[in-house]
Amino acid sequence: MDVRVRFAPSPTGLMHMGNARTAFFNWLFARKNNGKFILRIEDTDVERSTDVFTEAITQDLSWLHLNWDEGYDKGGEYGPYRQKDRGALYQKHLNVLKEKGVVYPCYCTPEDLDEMRKNQIAKGQMPRYDSRCRYLKDSQRDQYERENKSFVWRFAVPKSTIVVQDMIRGDVTFDSDRVSDFVLTKSSGSVTFHFAVAVDDACMKISHVIRGEDHLTNTAKHVLLFDALSYERPKFAHMPMILGPDGSKLSKRNGLSSLADYRKQGFLPEAILNYMSFLGWAPQKYEDKEIFSLGELSKYFDVGDIGKSPSMFDFVKLKWVNSKYLSRLDIDHLTTMALPLLRESEFIKDDVSEENFVQVKNIVALVQDQINSLSELPSLCEMYFKDTLTHEDPEVKVVLEERTNKEILLTFKEILKDLEEFSDKNLKETFKMVQKKIGVKGKALYLPIRLALSSKMDGAELYKMIQVLGKKRCIDRINKAILL
RNA sequence: GUCCCCAUCGUCUAGCCUGGCCCAGGACAUCGGGUUUUCAUCCCGAAAACAGGGGUUCGAAUCCCCUUGGGGAUGCCA
């Protein structure tokens, strides 16, 4: 069987981590099995769908390197790939269902339904459509028709036990009594999600439907439709949900939510993918390895290894994974990515000469190992671009005001002043000399100088810091600190 | 409410299917120590979990049931 999977976002909002993982696992499955990955836009909700989001979502996918084989922008044998362009196909299928007599028009108004629901809840029942229009007398139906009353087509759910075979959860059974006669076409004429999904998955020859667990109960409806339309059911796999840090469904409220946010924060797509892959999944032969390349992931990935329980999104761990990727990044590449952020902070001008690029690169190299995301870069680099240290931090001030430390700074400055070349060797020598003269070593020796130069307890390696700052700035800063 | 799904360290997870190798392994975070005359890295170590209760069994994290807890679904949203 040809493996064909799809990612089917609805363009009613930006892509978030949950969507992204669904897309990723589908992509992984396709690549692993030499199948096709299809991008289908589920824009049956004309009210809320916009092309802007379609555009944004496809951009996010591309950014994640999740290339698709068929899609609205690429074409393919089974198009069109936007549901709003598939109206005729849905109509055709509706006619088949009409002929089979498994659908019926429902004339209930939203108000009717609302009232019905309220009554049911009040009685402690599960809210569901009571199928009243299914058994409408012909005379009544004729009258509604004459009145041109608006209606929807509902599917007449047959009494049965519905069994959904899920690759992750095994057989899940539903009693048809729990599934109300659902709407296939809205009064506006457009189709509902359930109808479109079933028709499209069948017609696009989707072999495996891999999606979030929130669709598990919907699957009962979809399966009914496949059967009624005499289509073979695809295989289903419902992945566990990703929860926010507070244990509730991931949303705008619990922190960063859209993928675009993470991109802006300076998370690398490779890191995000690597982190996400371990949400609800672990390789069959788990060997205490945490960092996997895309290639490795698509080799090891297996739907059978996806777990059943939901997982919380751990931002701290994402940062750790990201830092791993960041520190391995080629320095030219990293510097190029840093440029926009540094411009935004007004550390550099819009156009960067080759010479300037090298300078910036030297600075970026100093903080490469310390950042968890690109967004942390500007604040760590600021001291190399601006000469505005004030030593306001009481912790810093106390150290710099200390008598011995002033002597250290003074001695250090005197030697530095006459130093020709700031090589590691020379600097080491310089520190040795200060150590000998003042009789202080280790942290006690390095910290005052570090603070005078950066006003921070931590930072880059001191020799490197001095080298990048250069003689004049080092001396100016030390002078300033001595006067404190 | 009703239905469906789920339940191992704070978090992500390995182990569960095919009971004994598990007084439960790894990673992030936390804490302690070491290397680096500073910083970061790195290394070592500590603390930290089988939700509870019943079964089945010689033996259960692993199988069954109940309870509890969490999530999802109950739309002319997807």
Side-chain angles (χ1 to χ4, degrees):
Chain A
M1 181 185 41
D2 287 344
V3 165
R4 292 174 57 79
V5 293
R6 83 307 196 268
F7 174 55
S10 69
T12 54
L14 293 171
M15 176 125 84
H16 59 258
M17 281 294 169
N19 298 139
R21 190 191 52 162
T22 301
F24 185 36
F25 281 20
N26 273 284
W27 182 89
L28 242 20
F29 187 74
R31 295 296 165 255
K32 165 81 186 267
N33 297 294
N34 275 313
K36 295 274 188 274
F37 178 56
I38 294 139
L39 174 62
R40 183 174 76 215
I41 303 300
E42 308 224 318
D43 49 5
T44 52
D45 184 352
V46 286
E47 306 271 297
R48 298 194 297 143
S49 297
T50 73
D51 291 346
V52 175
F53 287 132
T54 303
E55 202 40 47
I57 289 166
T58 53
Q59 267 176 22
D60 283 339
L61 274 183
S62 303
W63 180 70
L64 287 172
H65 314 306
L66 305 182
N67 53 315
W68 50 101
D69 304 297
E70 297 168 27
Y72 76 95
D73 59 339
K74 274 213 157 145
E77 234 181 295
Y78 302 90
Y81 293 90
R82 300 170 110 121
Q83 292 183 331
K84 68 176 174 194
D85 298 331
R86 313 187 106 231
L89 190 72
Y90 302 134
Q91 194 55 51
K92 201 178 107 196
H93 284 83
L94 181 65
N95 289 338
V96 171
L97 295 176
K98 280 189 207 167
E99 271 164 42
K100 291 194 177 179
V102 293
V103 292
Y104 63 90
C106 165
Y107 298 91
C108 296
T109 63
E111 293 74 36
D112 293 338
L113 298 173
D114 208 42
E115 196 189 317
M116 183 179 71
R117 233 180 327 259
K118 274 182 191 144
N119 284 336
Q120 286 165 334
I121 290 168
K123 281 189 219 154
Q125 296 167 334
M126 183 180 182
R128 62 189 287 280
Y129 182 60
D130 61 8
S131 307
R132 58 178 75 155
C133 289
R134 185 165 170 178
Y135 308 108
L136 229 44
K137 287 198 186 77
D138 285 348
S139 58
Q140 182 64 264
R141 192 169 293 168
D142 290 344
Q143 194 196 323
Y144 283 150
E145 236 169 274
R146 275 197 304 278
E147 288 171 4
N148 228 340
K149 200 168 180 207
S150 78
F151 66 95
V152 300
W153 284 100
R154 281 186 188 269
F155 182 77
V157 173
K159 186 146 182 55
S160 60
T161 298
I162 305 156
V163 180
V164 172
Q165 292 178 309
D166 190 279
M167 291 195 284
I168 295 171
R169 280 148 226 283
D171 288 1
V172 181
T173 61
F174 300 90
D175 192 321
S176 60
D177 287 346
R178 306 288 153 204
V179 183
S180 54
D181 290 350
F182 52 99
V183 175
L184 299 183
T185 64
K186 308 175 191 178
S187 54
S188 65
S190 64
V191 295
T192 62
F193 156 76
H194 299 299
F195 192 37
V197 163
V199 170
D200 288 346
D201 283 341
C203 294
M204 291 181 177
K205 301 241 167 27
I206 300 301
S207 62
H208 300 260
V209 172
I210 305 169
R211 72 221 312 189
E213 199 200 325
D214 46 343
H215 286 298
L216 186 56
T217 40
N218 290 334
T219 308
K221 293 175 182 149
H222 303 165
V223 146
L224 248 20
L225 250 16
F226 278 103
D227 294 355
L229 258 5
S230 308
Y231 282 128
E232 199 184 323
R233 286 141 71 143
K235 295 213 174 356
F236 292 99
H238 287 94
M239 303 184 294
M241 303 265 86
I242 299 176
L243 274 24
D246 54 353
S248 72
K249 203 175 173 179
L250 212 52
S251 78
K252 292 113 229 143
R253 265 164 297 160
N254 36 38
L256 295 179
S257 126
S258 76
L259 204 67
D261 285 340
Y262 288 89
R263 188 177 52 211
K264 281 180 209 138
Q265 281 277 308
F267 285 88
L268 303 176
E270 295 82 359
I272 291 178
L273 257 17
N274 191 153
Y275 171 72
M276 274 194 320
S277 68
F278 277 81
L279 247 29
W281 177 82
Q284 165 82 189
K285 284 199 185 112
Y286 182 70
E287 284 163 341
D288 305 345
K289 200 169 124 115
E290 301 281 329
I291 304 297
F292 286 87
S293 69
L294 248 192
E296 287 174 309
L297 287 172
S298 45
K299 197 164 105 198
Y300 298 137
F301 181 77
D302 191 335
V303 174
D305 297 328
I306 297 177
K308 299 176 183 176
S309 45
S311 39
M312 283 195 198
F313 189 83
D314 186 354
F315 188 60
V316 176
K317 187 144 185 185
L318 202 218
K319 286 207 287 193
W320 176 77
V321 174
N322 200 48
S323 75
K324 289 281 174 199
Y325 277 83
L326 243 19
S327 62
R328 289 179 184 191
L329 217 55
D330 170 74
I331 184 63
D332 281 289
H333 188 189
L334 177 63
T335 307
T336 307
M337 286 199 291
L339 254 27
L341 287 157
L342 297 174
R343 273 192 203 106
E344 211 172 291
S345 302
E346 298 182 335
F347 292 164
I348 55 173
K349 298 198 193 79
D350 284 350
D351 54 329
V352 177
S353 69
E354 226 168 281
E355 193 188 335
N356 282 341
F357 185 83
V358 174
Q359 286 171 354
V360 173
K361 188 164 94 175
N362 287 337
I363 293 170
V364 171
L366 293 190
V367 299
Q368 177 167 20
D369 286 340
Q370 291 170 56
I371 50 174
N372 292 313
S373 68
L374 252 29
S375 63
E376 294 174 3
L377 223 141
S379 66
L380 285 170
C381 289
E382 183 170 14
M383 55 159 287
Y384 298 102
F385 291 105
K386 304 265 176 194
D387 293 300
T388 50
L389 300 184
T390 53
H391 308 302
E392 271 168 350
D393 186 341
E395 207 181 359
V396 173
K397 208 170 174 181
V398 159
V399 177
L400 289 176
E401 282 171 343
E402 223 260 309
R403 179 149 216 100
T404 318
N405 291 341
K406 285 198 189 294
E407 279 173 42
I408 291 173
L409 290 175
L410 211 59
T411 313
F412 182 73
K413 186 188 81 176
E414 289 307 316
I415 303 170
L416 206 64
K417 211 165 61 182
D418 300 325
L419 201 59
E420 284 299 319
E421 194 200 348
F422 279 15
S423 64
D424 282 0
K425 186 170 163 279
N426 286 350
L427 289 171
K428 191 171 183 178
E429 206 47 46
T430 306
F431 275 91
K432 275 240 167 79
M433 287 159 78
V434 179
Q435 177 183 330
K436 240 186 199 157
K437 175 141 191 247
I438 313 289
V440 167
K441 63 173 181 175
K443 196 166 185 163
L445 170 65
Y446 278 68
L447 189 64
I449 296 170
R450 171 179 292 283
L451 292 179
L453 296 177
S454 72
S455 198
K456 273 191 208 146
M457 305 294 284
D458 47 29
E461 207 222 298
L462 202 42
Y463 298 170
K464 295 221 173 76
M465 190 189 284
I466 292 166
Q467 284 158 358
V468 169
L469 282 173
K471 189 188 278 188
K472 182 175 183 305
R473 295 172 98 191
C474 283
I475 289 176
D476 286 350
R477 290 184 188 199
I478 290 170
N479 281 336
K480 195 171 172 186
I482 291 173
L483 290 175
L484 219 60

